[in-house]
Amino acid sequence: MSKEASNEKSLNFIEQIIEDDLANGKHNGEVQTRFPPEPNGFLHIGHAKAISVNFGIAQRYNGKCNLRFDDTNPTTESTEYVDNIKKDIAWLGFEWDNECYASDYFDRLYDFAVTLIQKGLAYVDDSTADEIAEQKGSPDQPGTESPYRNRSVAENISLFVGMKNGDFPDGSRVLRAKVDMNSPNMHMRDPIIYRIKKEAHHRTGDKWNIYPMCDFAHGQSDSIEQVTHSLCSLEFIHHRPLYNWFIAHLEIYPSRQIEFARMNVSYMITSKRKLLKLVNEGLVTGWNDPRMPTIAGMRRRGFPPKAIVDFCVRAGVAKRDNLIDVGLLEFFVREVLNKETPRYMAVLNPLKVIITNYPEGKEEELVAINNPEDESQGTRIIPFSREIYIEQEDFMEDPPKKYFRMGPGRNVRLKNAYILHCEDYKKNAQTGAIEEVYCTYYPDSKSGQDTSGVKAKGTLHFVSIAHAKQAEVRLYDRLFTDPTPTAHDDKDYLDFFNTGSLEVLHNAFIEPALAEVVAGDRLQFMRKGYFAADDEHTSDKPVFNRTVTLKDTWAKMKKK
RNA sequence: AGACCUAUGGUGUAAUUGGUAACACAGCAGAUUUUGGUUCUGUCGUUCUAGGUUCGAGUCCUAGUAGGUCUACCA
């Protein structure tokens, strides 16, 4: 939990409920939550929110949080997803108490179903899917009862056992709870609780021919695990009466479901189907593409887990629809990275500078501070020589007055090195491109021992050409050009795909100290942003992903 | 159309439960700075509408309005 959260006096509505329960001695003062993913996809920023809420609440109240896989549909689920989900949660920094599976409760769930049948509260229905849908009616139209609704207990038991034993084909029969076909809540109109699926399950193999529906598994799983507060998103609010109905009629541990609004983030989407389409259509390279809002994508992008969790905590918990500015996430990413990452110099778009009065063949070793925010990160050596690269955008032939960088006749400091005076430059007559810049340096202006008295307004990063290494740099930007790409009735979300979301630079140059960096390392390229060494990065073939740019007030001024 | 949920600065969340509407981000202005970064200071701006209860309403009541959710053998 973040410091802010633990010191905060104000409580969100869930914490208020919990503190009331604690004050009343409910559940013996215990708090048990759970995070219940279905192992059929990758975790994304929305799951990160659910994780931080469930684990955060448990931490705050000295409770426990289980990881429970809601694996009741063998058609879509696999252990590969289980492994990835565990990896992502651990990476976010959370430890679950028990690792649970709804499938571990299949025997008990079956017994629960039998209990319901014996109480006259469930029946086997031979209707087709279409017929059942028709019976349910519509919200403003009461439903009609199934012709099979009043079978005897004995017949129901016999048929249900038959379903279990595989006597009937898939889809031929279902078990339905006998609730209320006239309820304005569609979920109470005799919901299906078991269906026939002669399919192998990733954990139970071919033991079962029938599988419980989520509604019949989720609440009972909570109850079995003695979950005190079952926190879920708002769309399950209509399921709560059913959740309570099962607990009441089964007379089992009274877990309580509490719903909160899921988090929406601008310029991001979290629909599993829509994300999959991006992958399938090749718009991204996979589920862990650094542009993806998946945990795996954000990890590869270089987002620190703490930033993601801080962001979720800051976004808060409430019941109204929300659209959180992705800028808030970027704020936390920068805040964490500013304190943690070592600084390096890398020139993304090189422009050659020759220091005409610096002796040919001479080399110097300059000392640079690794992180001005963290003295313990020490210093490193930066080589310096007569020919260097600076950033193309750091030179202007005819700069405006507020431009502090290099221009003809101007002074500018090289970070950790000398002050340069720009004497001349070479321009390509055809293209107009600046090809080389010629400068002189002030020998007594060396960083840390500057006695020159020369003034320079701007400071530039650079690399010594002879010592620099070529690298690939991938500049990532948001995936969509619209803050809510899925919210337009007249347009498809793919219409808003940001074709500029990835720019690959093959001709970047990095300082030699970067040789120590390994895949996954996060760092700052001074004045350019925070970057992470990609999964494909090696010291021979360096590849860096831009996590986020630095705040850029100059870019803002230019716009005006 | 029915049921349910929600409504506080640009965004998100608070308001010790009926007692001066605040915090963060974003914005704007300035200071510092060998990263146009960081840090610091200042500043802009808020209770959906209409009634009612009350000495006093963001909070309670009534009626509207707006947005969302639900009608899968998915979760």
Side-chain angles (χ1 to χ4, degrees):
Chain A
M1 191 193 319
S2 74
K3 263 180 252 156
E4 299 105 80
S6 61
N7 294 337
E8 227 162 280
K9 303 147 263 183
S10 67
L11 307 174
N12 66 47
F13 81 98
I14 295 176
E15 291 161 343
Q16 281 173 23
I17 290 170
I18 291 175
E19 298 211 352
D20 284 349
D21 288 347
L22 257 24
N24 295 329
K26 202 172 171 184
H27 309 304
N28 300 317
E30 278 168 26
V31 173
Q32 173 77 56
T33 59
R34 100 272 92 110
F35 173 63
E38 186 191 7
N40 73 345
F42 289 82
L43 261 31
H44 54 62
I45 185 74
H47 294 111
K49 174 58 178 278
I51 289 167
S52 76
V53 169
N54 276 293
F55 283 89
I57 288 278
Q59 281 173 4
R60 177 165 184 156
Y61 294 102
N62 291 315
K64 289 172 176 170
C65 183
N66 287 343
L67 168 60
R68 183 176 69 239
F69 291 97
D70 255 343
D71 53 352
T72 57
N73 185 359
T75 315
T76 57
E77 297 155 2
S78 82
T79 48
E80 181 208 334
Y81 292 118
V82 168
D83 296 338
N84 281 311
I85 287 168
K86 286 162 66 177
K87 176 183 174 184
D88 286 346
I89 297 170
W91 179 75
L92 283 174
F94 294 107
E95 286 176 37
W96 50 89
D97 186 40
N98 293 309
E99 180 180 329
C100 308
Y101 295 82
S103 54
D104 285 348
Y105 312 137
F106 280 172
D107 285 298
R108 298 178 69 174
L109 260 12
Y110 177 83
D111 292 342
F112 286 150
V114 170
T115 301
L116 245 32
I117 292 172
Q118 282 166 341
K119 284 188 160 190
L121 293 173
Y123 60 96
V124 173
D125 195 333
D126 303 356
S127 306
T128 65
D130 287 344
E131 284 166 348
I132 289 175
E134 206 169 309
Q135 288 160 20
K136 285 202 177 179
S138 59
D140 53 336
Q141 215 72 31
T144 52
E145 297 188 353
S146 165
Y148 304 96
R149 197 173 199 257
N150 294 309
R151 290 216 247 231
S152 69
V153 168
E155 188 184 5
N156 279 320
I157 292 283
S158 156
L159 287 169
F160 188 50
V161 169
M163 284 169 63
K164 180 193 176 200
N165 292 341
D167 297 344
F168 314 118
D170 280 17
S172 59
R173 287 186 163 89
V174 293
L175 184 69
R176 287 227 254 171
K178 192 188 282 189
V179 189
D180 178 7
M181 289 306 290
N182 292 319
S183 171
N185 181 342
M186 298 300 285
H187 297 278
M188 298 298 270
R189 317 251 262 228
D190 288 12
I192 295 167
I193 58 177
Y194 260 97
R195 76 285 216 194
I196 303 171
K197 253 181 200 280
K198 295 178 180 175
E199 244 174 283
H201 185 276
H202 74 112
R203 300 191 88 236
T204 60
D206 52 12
K207 174 177 176 185
W208 294 91
N209 295 304
I210 54 171
Y211 292 96
M213 298 291 290
C214 165
D215 274 329
F216 196 69
H218 189 91
Q220 286 90 316
S221 299
D222 283 344
S223 184
I224 289 167
E225 292 168 22
Q226 306 209 343
V227 168
T228 56
H229 305 270
S230 177
L231 314 177
C232 65
S233 55
L234 238 34
E235 57 262 39
F236 289 94
I237 197 163
H238 302 290
H239 297 243
R240 174 154 40 100
L242 186 58
Y243 181 104
N244 291 336
W245 190 91
F246 287 133
I247 284 176
H249 290 285
L250 260 11
E251 300 174 58
I252 54 179
Y253 184 87
S255 298
R256 174 177 175 186
Q257 174 176 303
I258 301 168
E259 312 85 12
F260 63 93
R262 64 164 212 265
M263 179 178 71
N264 303 300
V265 184
S266 64
Y267 299 97
M268 287 187 171
I269 60 170
T270 50
S271 154
K272 209 174 280 181
R273 216 192 80 247
K274 293 189 167 92
L275 252 14
L276 179 65
K277 198 169 170 190
L278 290 171
V279 175
N280 286 342
E281 301 210 349
L283 291 166
V284 296
T285 58
W287 285 96
N288 67 341
D289 185 296
R291 289 166 290 182
M292 291 285 269
T294 51
I295 306 289
M298 293 190 286
R299 175 167 57 228
R300 191 168 174 192
R301 176 82 168 257
F303 287 12
K306 182 180 187 304
I308 295 171
V309 174
D310 284 354
F311 167 68
C312 290
V313 169
R314 237 310 153 194
V317 176
K319 292 177 84 163
R320 54 178 129 147
D321 289 339
N322 58 75
L323 180 65
I324 317 243
D325 190 344
V326 70
L328 186 64
L329 174 57
E330 291 170 354
F331 165 79
F332 283 109
V333 169
R334 290 190 183 102
E335 185 182 60
V336 172
L337 259 17
N338 175 49
K339 286 175 192 130
E340 292 184 352
T341 57
R343 274 62 167 168
Y344 290 96
M345 292 202 283
V347 174
L348 273 29
N349 295 294
L351 170 61
K352 187 172 179 177
V353 174
I354 299 171
I355 304 162
T356 53
N357 64 338
Y358 196 89
E360 283 191 53
K362 180 177 174 179
E363 284 179 20
E364 277 184 89
E365 291 192 336
L366 308 169
V367 178
I369 290 168
N370 286 330
N371 185 348
E373 307 293 320
D374 179 7
E375 211 175 303
S376 73
Q377 291 189 18
T379 60
R380 70 184 185 288
I381 298 298
I382 308 258
F384 189 75
S385 63
R386 189 171 193 265
E387 298 188 350
I388 61 169
Y389 285 134
I390 65 166
E391 213 67 63
Q392 283 171 19
E393 63 175 13
D394 286 340
F395 176 86
M396 277 184 87
E397 207 181 350
D398 185 20
K401 24 198 166 2
K402 292 250 175 129
Y403 186 82
F404 300 154
R405 283 108 101 143
M406 189 180 283
R410 291 188 175 209
N411 287 338
V412 71
R413 173 171 289 284
L414 294 178
K415 180 73 186 171
N416 300 312
Y418 298 94
I419 296 177
L420 255 38
H421 182 77
C422 177
E423 308 284 353
D424 199 3
Y425 58 96
K426 183 165 102 187
K427 186 174 175 176
N428 184 307
Q430 253 93 61
T431 64
I434 307 298
E435 295 184 324
E436 279 181 0
V437 176
Y438 309 104
C439 295
T440 53
Y441 84 116
Y442 298 90
D444 52 357
S445 67
K446 190 169 174 174
S447 267
Q449 47 204 81
D450 183 355
T451 55
S452 68
V454 175
K455 294 249 168 66
K457 204 138 196 203
T459 302
L460 308 185
H461 62 281
F462 70 96
V463 294
S464 165
I465 295 178
H467 306 86
K469 179 156 195 140
Q470 200 163 3
E472 178 177 331
V473 174
R474 299 172 183 169
L475 304 180
Y476 291 102
D477 199 355
R478 45 192 62 158
L479 251 187
F480 297 100
T481 56
D482 184 275
T484 54
T486 60
H488 302 265
D489 292 333
D490 55 331
K491 281 185 174 166
D492 187 70
Y493 73 107
L494 291 182
D495 293 343
F496 299 105
F497 179 79
N498 180 8
T499 52
S501 56
L502 171 60
E503 184 186 353
V504 182
L505 306 176
H506 293 283
N507 198 36
F509 288 88
I510 58 176
E511 62 164 287
L514 253 350
E516 312 159 3
V517 166
V518 299
D521 281 358
R522 297 186 280 261
L523 48 94
Q524 184 193 110
F525 286 161
M526 295 201 84
R527 304 208 307 133
K528 297 313 296 179
Y530 296 100
F531 291 76
D534 187 69
D535 294 350
E536 297 170 356
H537 174 276
T538 63
S539 55
D540 281 342
K541 195 181 172 303
V543 181
F544 293 95
N545 298 327
R546 184 173 69 196
T547 310
V548 64
T549 61
L550 257 27
K551 263 179 41 180
D552 192 346
T553 51
W554 167 240
K556 212 179 283 177
M557 283 171 70
K558 273 198 299 189
K559 273 188 198 166
K560 289 184 192 170

